[in-house]
Amino acid sequence: MSRPVLEIDHVAKRFAAKTVLSDVSLTIDKPEIFGLLGPSGAGKTTLVKMIVGMERPTEGSIHVLGVKVPNLKLMTDIGYMAQSDALYGELTAEENLKFFAQLYGLSGKRLKENAERVLELVGLQDDAKKPVQKFSGGMKRRLSLAIALIHRPKFLILDEPTVGIDPLLRKKLWDTFGELKDNGVTLIVTSHVMDEAERCDRLGLIRDGRLLACGTPAELKRATQTTTMEEAFLVYGGMGDAR
Amino acid sequence: MRVKALTERIIRQFLWDKRTMALLFLAPLLVLTLVSLIFNGDAYRPSIGLVDVPSPIQAALEKSDAHLKTLSAAKANDELKDQKLDAVLKFEQGRPELTLEGSDPTSNRAVLEAFTNLGGGGQAAGVKPVIHYLHGGKSLNNFDNFGPVLLGIFVFFFVFLISGVSFLRERTNGTLERVLASPLRRGELVTGYFIGFGIFTIIQSALIAAYSVYVLDLWMAGSFWYVLLITLVLAFVALSLGMLLSTFANNELQMFQFIPLVIVPQVFFSGLFKLETISDWVSWISYVTPLYYGADALRGVMIRGEGWSGIWGDVGVLALFALVFIALNVLTLRKYRKL
C-alpha cells in the first residue's frame, strides 16, 4: 500500500480559451470516501472525467492506483456512474447490466453472480425483467449505481449519485458506500448537497475550477469556525469572491 | 393573447434553429434544381455500332439522331459488352442483324425507333433487321430496369436513417459516453455496430430481393449471393455515413433533415434516370455518390448476369467509401474519450 490510490498533480484543464480547472492537486492514500463539493459548473464533472480517463489534463498529471491516466487497462479497475443515467430504455434492467458487465470482460457464472449481487444491493432484484423505460427516476439512478459496481472496481467514481432519490433510499445508498469502503474500495462522490458531505471521510471544495480547501468535515469546520458544512462552504466561497 | 404567445414561441424556436429554417427554405430549391437538371436533359441519343453496313443504309440511319460508329466486328462486340454501344448492326450473308445491349428499356426503345424511321423510301426501305438481345430481352420492362436501383436505394435509406438515429440516441442519452468509460476500444465500438446492423441488413436485403425476384418477378440474371454482397457493402457505407452525420445532428429532427441533402441527390444520380442526358457539368456528381456504384453493380448482376469480374470495381469503391467513413467515425469518437 505504498503507492497512493489517487494522485492528482497540479492539474489544469482548458477547453479552447475557457479554463475549467486550474492547478488542482490532491492525494488519496488509502481507501476512503472522498467528497467533491461545489456548485454546478465548478468543474467537478470535468475533474471526475479526467480521473476516469475520458479527458486528458491540459497540464499536470493524474495517477490512479499508480498508473497514469488515461489508460485503457486501468478502466477495468474503475467504476463510473455518470451524472445522467446512461441506460438503454428498450432493454430490461438485467439486459442493461449484462451489456455493461460484458464490456468489462465479465461472462458466464461470474457475470450472473455479480449481477444478482448488485441488483440486490440496490434493491432492484424484483424489477430485473422490467424494461428500463418503465422505471422511475430513482430506480434508474439505482440501476446506474449497480452498473458502476458490477465488475467489483477498486475505485469508484460517482457523479451526483443521489440526485432525485428520496431520503430513505439516500441513507441506504450511503450505508452501501460505507460498506464498500470497508471492503477496500475508494469512492469519489461529487455532490452539491451539503448534508451528504458529513458522511464523507474527507472533502474537497471546488469553486470556479479551483480546489479551495481539502480536509475532513471536522477540520474544515474548525478552520472556518463554523458549525455546519454549509456555513464552512460559504466562508470559502466568500473568500473566493473577495479576491 | 394566448394564441399570440404560442405563435410567438414557435417563431422564436425557428429563429434559434437556423438549420431547420435554412432547410425549410433552401432544400426544396436544391431538390427542384436537381429535378430540372435531370428531366430537362436532352432526349437520349443511342449509340449504334456499324459492321460492314452498306452505305445507303448507313446514309439512311444518319438521318436519325443516333450516334453512329463504324468498326470491326470484334471491336463492336467488346464495346457492346462494355455498354459503350447500345446496339450493333451487322450484315451476315446480306441479312441485317441488330444486336441490342438490352439492359435498359429506354435505350432499347431509342435504338428501335431509329430503325422504324428508316422506312423513308430509297434503297434503305424495307430493311428489317433480325433483332437479338445481349442481355435482357423484349420482355425487359422499366421495373426490371429500376428494380435493382430501388433495392439499393431502400437498403441505403433505411440503414442510414436507423443507424444515424440510434447512434444519435447513444450520444444524447449519454450511453455513448458511459460505454466509453469502460475499457472498450473505439474501433471495437464501431465494429460491434457493424456486425449488429450487418445481421439485420442481410435479412432486410434478402427479403427485399427475394420478394422482388420471386413475387414481383423482377429480372434476375445473376447470382442472388452477389446481390446480398453488394447490398451488404452498400449498407455498411450507409451505416458508417449515418453514424458520422449523427455527429452533426443534435436531435432526431436534424437527422431527418439529412434526407433531402444526402439521400435525395443520391437517388437522382444513382442511375434511376439516364445519366447521359444530364448536363455534363453536373453529371460528375454521380461519381461521388456511393449509391451510384451500388446501383451499377446491382444492375450488372440482376440484368446482365455479371459475376465477380463485373462488379469488383463497384464493390471496391463502396468498400473504400465505408473505410473512409469508419476512419472518420473512430476519429470523431475522440471527442468522447481521448484514448
Side-chain angles (χ1 to χ4, degrees):
Chain A
M1 290 270 25
S2 57
R3 60 186 197 195
V5 186
L6 173 72
E7 215 179 348
I8 299 177
D9 189 22
H10 299 288
V11 159
K13 181 68 188 176
R14 283 186 287 274
F15 293 104
K18 195 170 174 269
T19 303
V20 181
L21 285 172
S22 44
D23 199 27
V24 174
S25 291
L26 173 69
T27 306
I28 298 180
D29 286 312
K30 56 175 199 334
E32 64 177 350
I33 302 180
F34 189 92
L36 270 178
L37 249 64
S40 332
K44 288 174 301 195
T45 298
T46 306
L47 183 59
V48 152
K49 277 190 179 173
M50 284 195 288
I51 300 171
V52 180
M54 295 165 71
E55 294 285 356
R56 233 182 253 276
T58 315
E59 275 164 34
S61 66
I62 300 178
H63 287 76
V64 177
L65 304 167
V67 182
K68 189 176 180 194
V69 292
N71 180 298
L72 215 52
K73 236 190 189 150
L74 183 71
M75 287 180 155
T76 318
D77 291 324
I78 302 177
Y80 174 53
M81 177 175 171
Q83 204 171 71
S84 63
D85 292 303
L87 301 165
Y88 297 95
E90 308 90 332
L91 304 183
T92 65
E94 211 171 35
E95 288 165 338
N96 268 287
L97 256 181
K98 193 178 163 200
F99 167 68
F100 284 104
Q102 285 171 335
L103 291 185
Y104 287 94
L106 296 184
S107 62
K109 213 175 130 208
R110 222 174 117 229
L111 192 159
K112 209 169 160 250
E113 282 170 5
N114 281 9
E116 277 167 17
R117 180 181 56 89
V118 293
L119 278 175
E120 211 176 287
L121 201 66
V122 298
L124 283 176
Q125 62 273 41
D126 297 331
D127 302 294
K129 310 266 185 223
K130 260 195 218 159
V132 166
Q133 55 202 5
K134 295 216 171 105
F135 274 25
S136 68
M139 286 162 84
K140 285 185 189 161
R141 215 68 202 115
R142 277 142 71 196
L143 182 59
S144 295
L145 178 63
I147 288 170
L149 295 171
I150 185 89
H151 57 293
R152 293 177 181 268
K154 294 185 207 121
F155 197 98
L156 196 56
I157 298 168
L158 309 171
D159 202 353
E160 308 260 2
T162 55
V163 168
I165 286 189
D166 61 90
L168 200 70
L169 185 65
R170 194 192 289 183
K171 185 182 175 304
K172 211 188 134 214
L173 286 181
W174 275 93
D175 291 343
T176 309
F177 298 162
E179 283 164 35
L180 285 166
K181 185 195 89 177
D182 294 340
N183 288 322
V185 177
T186 303
L187 292 95
I188 291 189
V189 182
T190 76
S191 178
H192 57 248
V193 188
M194 298 299 157
D195 64 341
E196 290 188 344
E198 304 278 358
R199 300 205 56 166
C200 297
D201 297 315
R202 279 201 303 154
L203 291 168
L205 301 188
I206 294 195
R207 200 175 151 142
D208 298 328
R210 289 179 182 281
L211 189 63
L212 299 175
C214 191
T216 65
E219 280 170 5
L220 293 178
K221 279 184 277 190
R222 207 178 313 129
T224 52
Q225 296 176 330
T226 51
T227 49
T228 66
M229 273 320 299
E230 194 141 18
E231 287 168 350
F233 190 77
L234 286 173
V235 171
Y236 282 109
M239 280 163 63
D241 286 340
R243 276 172 204 168
Chain B
M1 269 331 273
R2 283 188 279 267
V3 173
K4 185 175 161 256
L6 211 66
T7 313
E8 204 178 298
R9 193 212 72 205
I10 289 170
I11 293 170
R12 275 183 200 287
Q13 279 176 315
F14 263 109
L15 288 177
W16 278 109
D17 192 352
K18 297 270 187 303
R19 257 175 65 179
T20 300
M21 211 157 59
L23 207 88
L24 182 68
F25 299 130
L26 299 179
L29 305 187
L30 170 76
V31 174
L32 276 173
T33 310
L34 289 175
V35 171
S36 86
L37 284 170
I38 281 157
F39 293 100
N40 277 348
D42 317 318
Y44 184 62
R45 298 175 63 188
S47 305
I48 303 174
L50 305 177
V51 180
D52 303 329
V53 174
S55 49
I57 295 175
Q58 184 167 353
L61 273 173
E62 266 158 15
K63 283 183 200 126
S64 74
D65 59 0
H67 294 288
L68 299 178
K69 198 172 174 187
T70 308
L71 64 187
S72 73
K75 189 128 202 311
N77 278 339
D78 285 347
E79 294 207 353
L80 194 64
K81 266 193 198 122
D82 293 345
Q83 294 160 260
K84 283 184 188 137
L85 291 175
D86 291 308
V88 169
L89 179 67
K90 60 180 149 195
F91 275 72
E92 298 255 336
Q93 293 147 358
R95 279 162 44 100
E97 273 188 37
L98 182 68
T99 309
L100 279 82
E101 199 277 332
S103 55
D104 185 350
T106 315
S107 322
N108 293 352
R109 263 197 306 275
V111 171
L112 294 177
E113 215 161 281
F115 280 88
T116 47
N117 294 338
L118 218 57
Q123 284 167 289
V127 171
K128 281 238 164 60
V130 184
I131 294 170
H132 302 289
Y133 289 89
L134 188 62
H135 304 292
K138 225 189 293 182
S139 62
L140 186 92
N141 57 33
N142 279 330
F143 178 60
D144 294 322
N145 185 44
F146 290 159
V149 184
L150 287 176
L151 176 65
I153 291 173
F154 285 145
V155 169
F156 195 92
F157 177 67
F158 286 114
V159 173
F160 172 81
L161 211 59
I162 295 170
S163 69
V165 169
S166 63
F167 208 68
L168 176 84
R169 274 205 217 143
E170 291 246 32
R171 288 176 200 278
T172 49
N173 285 354
T175 47
L176 180 67
E177 196 175 270
R178 180 61 192 82
V179 161
L180 285 173
S182 80
L184 180 80
R185 285 167 199 283
R186 284 178 284 152
E188 287 176 326
L189 175 72
V190 177
T191 313
Y193 251 77
F194 267 67
I195 297 173
F197 270 88
I199 292 169
F200 284 96
T201 309
I202 290 176
I203 299 172
Q204 187 208 25
S205 16
L207 185 73
I208 306 179
Y211 185 79
S212 332
V213 172
Y214 299 113
V215 180
L216 301 180
D217 208 21
L218 184 66
W219 197 279
M220 179 65 160
S223 155
F224 202 81
W225 296 107
Y226 283 128
V227 172
L228 284 192
L229 173 77
I230 296 162
T231 49
L232 185 66
V233 183
L234 193 61
F236 281 165
V237 179
L239 169 63
S240 47
L241 183 64
M243 276 171 88
L244 189 63
L245 289 185
S246 74
T247 321
F248 306 103
N250 296 322
N251 51 49
E252 270 105 338
L253 177 67
Q254 293 194 336
M255 197 65 216
F256 292 133
Q257 290 172 355
F258 284 123
I259 295 171
L261 298 179
V262 175
I263 303 289
V264 174
Q266 288 210 68
V267 170
F268 283 134
F269 287 98
S270 62
L272 207 54
F273 311 103
K274 259 198 159 323
L275 293 172
E276 287 86 344
T277 59
I278 305 176
S279 323
D280 282 338
W281 65 272
V282 281
S283 63
W284 60 269
I285 294 175
S286 58
Y287 297 106
V288 296
T289 57
L291 208 47
Y292 166 80
Y293 298 94
D296 188 53
L298 283 169
R299 262 188 181 151
V301 171
M302 297 182 77
I303 301 178
R304 294 189 287 276
E306 280 172 7
W308 182 242
S309 62
I311 60 167
W312 69 268
D314 287 324
V315 173
V317 174
L318 287 177
L320 208 67
F321 268 114
L323 281 177
V324 170
F325 293 148
I326 290 169
L328 289 173
N329 269 315
V330 175
L331 273 179
T332 52
L333 282 175
R334 280 183 75 94
K335 193 172 130 197
Y336 293 87
R337 189 179 71 195
K338 310 289 178 238
L339 192 68

